[in-house]
Amino acid sequence: MSSQMRRIALARRPSGLPVPEDFALKEAPMPAPGAGEVLVEVTHLSLDPYMRGRMDDAGSYAASVDLDGTMVGQGVGRVIASRDDAFDEGDLVTGMTGWASHAVVPAQGLRKLDDRLPPTTALGVLGMPGFTAWTGLRDFGRPKAGETLAVAAATGPVGSLVGQLAKAAGLRTVAIAGGAEKCQLASERFGFDAAIDHRACVGASALREAIAAEAPDGIDIYWENTGGKVLEAVMPLMNTHGRIPICGTIAWYGGADGTEDRLPKVWRSILVKRLSVNGFIIFDHWDGYPAFLEEMTPRVAAGDISFLEDVAQGLENAPAAFISMLTGGNTGKQIVQLA
Amino acid sequence: MSSQMRRIALARRPSGLPVPEDFALKEAPMPAPGAGEVLVEVTHLSLDPYMRGRMDDAGSYAASVDLDGTMVGQGVGRVIASRDDAFDEGDLVTGMTGWASHAVVPAQGLRKLDDRLPPTTALGVLGMPGFTAWTGLRDFGRPKAGETLAVAAATGPVGSLVGQLAKAAGLRTVAIAGGAEKCQLASERFGFDAAIDHRACVGASALREAIAAEAPDGIDIYWENTGGKVLEAVMPLMNTHGRIPICGTIAWYGGADGTEDRLPKVWRSILVKRLSVNGFIIFDHWDGYPAFLEEMTPRVAAGDISFLEDVAQGLENAPAAFISMLTGGNTGKQIVQLA
């Protein structure tokens, strides 16, 4: 076993979009597990938009990462030392390892993985993003056959599963994605009924026209991953009694993007159209995770669900991959494979 | 019976706050009821904020009033001619009479009133505003004992009942109202735990500080009657898993009031705080009206519920009373007593 481990620390709090200088690669002595703890050698790390919120001082959904603290995140890896009866050396596990080559994790925070599925599925389609899509659509989207769903960031790990679940439930599904390549993915790989390239539409009005053409009966569920231009485009297309699960507002991580006050129109639309707008964060819903795994694991194993991963190489490249992901530079679930 | 009736017509569509020229007082021959219809002599007419939406061309919650059409509204009155077996001359009834001295109403759109209660209660505390408060609080506010509720327009017919129902359910209740007189009413007559005069607070920040001082545990339910400055003040005070039933956005009937884009912050708060924001319109909920009447009629009859009416005199003064109400000039449920 190496005597040193590596980790990515929060070097300073970003303003808007993070930059490489906000992160620092550090070495530290290899930690030893205490009683009831397990030492994991991380093989794959998940990068997710929620981590941007954790870099802020406060006010986001969960505890901030401390300055010089290790960036939070889920990883998969092998147990290399265990002081808990439930885990043995060599077990394939997942848990909140952080952005690090190794991590000591309490046994109750780890889950053994089924060796028959690719281990990265535990970070994507069967991990937090997949569970987010499944929970949010069921609890806050409340899909009904014959309705229309629109989702932005549609080729991302959440959006792509939202689309597939909605389609399977009998909805018309409209993808909004950035660039022709992602639109092709949305249609061909993820089975959306239509895909719209928001980059090809200058301004919210042009985007709205493009979406309207593919949603002739209006939109019943707008799955909110982005905010920004897409929200502005979609809002007038919402049907009465529509639902908007708010899962992310990635377009606004860097601050506001508009000049006029869009709040009155949106707020009034919520009233006039009797919309149900619900913010949700998957960390509140872990009770339902076993039911999700029970339903979705066989569907993934059977190849009924498509998913896509974008794998960066090496812990040292995690910050660049993360920054790129926040501006849509990834294609599919962003993962870092550790050396 | 007079041979002529009088009505208030929509003379033109207002831009922002209506002005007297948007209305016209007209005379017309007295209508005669057809089979299954009833002719009502209106004694009291209800004025409600939703009527402003009906004056617009489209896009609001319900059918617009046509140009030269009679302004919509609920009235109470006496049956003076009936061609339906369910109603007799002299019956005290309520229904959608419009802003008019007389109206022919289909029998199935009328309800007989209990002579033992003041007839105007059918327009306020036991009418649409009361039913709005009761339904919205139960279905979208979902109050729990020990929580804190804030409501703007707190001495209005909806807000004052929301406060009393929440208080009875064990919540701390914070009123936001315009002017010292209304604040006194909120505390003394309607039993709010605290009352804040938004007119005494310059800007949303000052209002926020005043509210925060009276809501030391944060706000779990913000009953949205207004939008505007109150919303901006309240949003940062919302607790995780808070609920915002949107019942009205009267501050924005005249258009936006801000310069910067407040949408990103609000939208992100909905996510980060996992808020549930639901627009609702009482016209979707009439199924529940009998249950409301059954529960609330005895409470009103027993004097357990306070209500307040602001009565203007004469149909010809309905437009001025309506305009005044839209800017908070009334105190209590606005009613017009017909000559």
Side-chain angles (χ1 to χ4, degrees), chain A residues 73-161:
Chain A
Q74 187 186 355
V76 297
R78 291 278 171 190
V79 172
I80 57 173
S82 174
R83 290 193 57 196
D84 188 277
D85 290 345
F87 293 92
D88 294 316
E89 247 179 77
D91 281 351
L92 182 66
V93 294
T94 186
M96 295 303 281
T97 60
W99 298 20
S101 64
H102 300 78
V104 165
V105 183
Q108 69 269 28
L110 283 180
R111 185 168 64 83
K112 272 191 220 181
L113 295 180
D114 185 334
D115 268 319
R116 289 166 299 178
L117 281 171
T120 51
T121 56
L123 303 179
V125 66
L126 293 176
M128 202 189 67
F131 182 45
T132 299
W134 184 83
T135 300
L137 188 65
R138 187 193 58 179
D139 290 0
F140 304 110
R142 304 189 294 273
K144 296 188 207 63
E147 291 188 329
T148 299
L149 168 135
V151 56
T155 60
V158 176
S160 60
L161 187 55

Side-chain angles (χ1 to χ4, degrees), chain A residues 33-103:
Chain A
E37 291 182 335
V38 174
L39 177 62
V40 178
E41 180 175 19
V42 179
T43 57
H44 297 86
L45 170 66
S46 178
L47 296 181
D48 302 279
Y50 79 86
M51 296 166 175
R52 171 62 190 84
R54 302 295 182 91
M55 300 175 79
D56 287 334
D57 203 11
S60 194
Y61 358 126
S64 300
V65 176
D66 288 332
L67 282 176
D68 199 43
T70 301
M71 286 290 297
V72 293
Q74 187 186 355
V76 297
R78 291 278 171 190
V79 172
I80 57 173
S82 174
R83 290 193 57 196
D84 188 277
D85 290 345
F87 293 92
D88 294 316
E89 247 179 77
D91 281 351
L92 182 66
V93 294
T94 186
M96 295 303 281
T97 60
W99 298 20
S101 64
H102 300 78

Side-chain angles (χ1 to χ4, degrees), chain A residues 53 59-61 224 227 231 235 241 244 246-249 252-253 256-264 266-268 270-272 274-281 284, chain B residues 53 59-61 224 227 231 235 241 244 246-249 252-253 256-264 266-268 270-272 274-281 284:
Chain A
S60 194
Y61 358 126
E224 177 64 292
L231 169 60
M235 207 68 185
H241 300 299
I244 303 182
I246 304 187
C247 175
T249 61
W252 285 322
Y253 274 119
D257 60 342
T259 48
E260 56 163 352
D261 187 6
R262 289 177 291 191
L263 182 58
V266 165
W267 214 242
R268 224 175 128 59
I270 297 173
L271 169 59
V272 169
R274 299 86 128 175
L275 303 182
S276 181
V277 180
N278 288 274
F280 79 102
I281 292 180
D284 292 336
Chain B
S60 196
Y61 359 125
E224 177 64 292
L231 169 60
M235 206 69 184
H241 299 299
I244 304 182
I246 304 187
C247 175
T249 60
W252 285 323
Y253 273 119
D257 59 343
T259 49
E260 55 161 355
D261 186 6
R262 289 177 290 193
L263 181 59
V266 165
W267 214 241
R268 227 178 124 57
I270 296 174
L271 169 58
V272 168
R274 298 86 128 176
L275 305 180
S276 183
V277 180
N278 288 275
F280 78 101
I281 293 179
D284 293 335

